[in-house]
Amino acid sequence: MSKRLLVFMLILALAALSVALVSAQDAPEGPITYASYISDPVPRAFDEQVVALWNANNPDSPVEHSTVAHEDFKQAIRAYLTASPAPDVMTWFAGERARFFVDRDLIQPFTEAYDSSGLADAYAPGFTALGTVDEDMYFLSTSYYWWAIYYRPSLFEAAGIESEPETWDEFLAACNALNAIGVAPITIGTRFPWTAAAWFDYLNMRINGPEFHISLMSLEESYTDPRVREVFVYWQQLLDNNCFIENPSAYAWQEAVNFMANEEAAMYLMGQFIADEVSANFADSGFAEDLDFFRFPIINPDVPIGEDAPTDGYFIAAGAENVAGGEAFLAFLGSQEVQQLAFDELGRLPTRTDVDISGASPATQKGINLIQTADYIAQFYDRDTTPEMAQQGMEGFMRFWDDPSQIDAILEELEGYRVRLAAELAASE
């Protein structure tokens, strides 16, 4: 047995003393079935240890744990949810992926249990909002990664930019200052267009607010709404000010990092995983030490702050046989003790505000604060809307990039797809 595993088991044993007090007093009798897609070796071992910890303290309500390979689980989930009985607790993705099943009455709300267990008080407000549909709690978020504008502080300093831009005017001024010293302000690789979708997400949330954005993603708002067109007016300001590298469609997202590594570009709107790319491929260049990030600038100060943070978690199936047991197990999975262990052992970013992150790197603490101080957590364009709408939307974004004068025709086409897809969804319900 490795030293790391021995230490981990000791941590679990010590945590059991406090976790037992949280879980055992509320756990009803009877087995709880739990179906998981956490199949990669390291997180699966952690998942099994968490289940073992529950079972050690709740012998009258043991969790019966099954694990299916991640991609197979995504194919099988509809069969799980329509089975009789369905698994009590299941892993899944937040956003549209969960709402799709909520709208079809396949996920069980657990609002009362969420409030009475103290989760409502401990969770960051954005994650509470993310799991809520029509004022009921349906999805327990437990881990995520953030998006932000990553940049090289040394290039900001060379351009005379004294602080991270907080407003749109400050952001455009930074772009102009970087252009003035021959550095492209922003790199991006759009060979696969999901990277461009991030710009739509953030511009829409900053201009119109995250509630409007999510309503649009849910096919409830029109793409020809003047508020959507305003998003592209701001986007065109970036194009008109030469804020992006040339020919971004020639590059995958990883290849576009090279422009920052070579000090040819200063910024990149990207997920937290960019740091892994930098550490893996530019370890000896000093790039990793010259990398920071800031919140996407505020455009309309009168709307709530939304952030993209693709999030995973758990729910209770509507066809569950042991709903009360599922509620108790969800409270356990969302407890401070379990989230602390997940953060310490796996580096999973907590959705609770009371997890001790003092041992994390300054960048991780900054990212957690960025998300926990947001008013709303979105997922990402292709997670928040339907797959077909996501495909058409991302293609439309790239057509706009190539020819901004076509925006009205593009939005008319996207609205046609939205109307058809919304009607098909309504007919299927």
Side-chain angles (χ1 to χ4, degrees), residues 90-254:
M90 301 174 67
T91 50
W92 198 234
F93 315 109
E96 167 62 23
R97 304 288 184 91
R99 282 198 307 273
F100 180 87
F101 296 124
V102 171
D103 292 343
R104 286 153 181 78
D105 298 323
L106 294 171
I107 293 181
Q108 170 78 26
F110 62 103
T111 311
E112 184 176 344
Y114 188 77
D115 293 338
S116 64
S117 66
L119 292 172
D121 296 326
Y123 262 56
F127 289 110
T128 294
L130 179 60
T132 302
V133 178
D134 296 332
E135 300 185 358
D136 270 324
M137 176 58 63
Y138 285 88
F139 188 87
L140 183 75
S141 303
T142 54
S143 62
Y144 66 94
Y145 60 87
W146 70 81
W147 277 70
I149 297 182
Y150 282 80
Y151 74 105
R152 296 201 67 160
S154 63
L155 294 179
F156 269 36
E157 182 179 358
I161 303 167
E162 297 181 354
S163 60
E164 297 171 349
E166 296 183 358
T167 68
W168 188 249
D169 287 344
E170 291 173 354
F171 187 61
L172 289 180
C175 290
N176 292 333
L178 288 161
N179 274 324
I181 64 168
V183 174
I186 305 165
T187 187
I188 185 172
T190 61
R191 182 186 301 161
F192 305 102
W194 57 268
T195 52
W199 285 94
F200 180 83
D201 278 1
Y202 273 100
L203 287 169
N204 196 23
M205 287 193 287
R206 292 294 185 265
I207 295 166
N208 299 312
E211 293 93 341
F212 176 82
H213 178 69
I214 293 302
S215 292
L216 181 68
M217 297 300 93
S218 301
L219 310 180
E220 297 169 0
E221 300 285 353
S222 171
Y223 274 85
T224 54
D225 188 303
R227 290 172 290 183
V228 178
R229 196 183 191 286
E230 187 73 0
V231 170
F232 293 89
V233 171
Y234 277 83
W235 203 339
Q236 187 162 356
Q237 291 179 27
L238 298 174
L239 299 174
D240 291 344
N241 282 275
N242 298 315
C243 292
F244 296 103
I245 62 170
E246 294 183 1
N247 197 24
S249 61
Y251 309 104
W253 81 264
Q254 299 96 327

Side-chain angles (χ1 to χ4, degrees), residues 268-289:
Y268 203 162
L269 176 60
M270 186 48 62
Q272 176 195 4
F273 48 84
I274 189 177
D276 297 332
E277 177 72 13
V278 171
S279 296
N281 295 313
F282 304 98
D284 300 325
S285 67
F287 185 7
E289 292 72 35

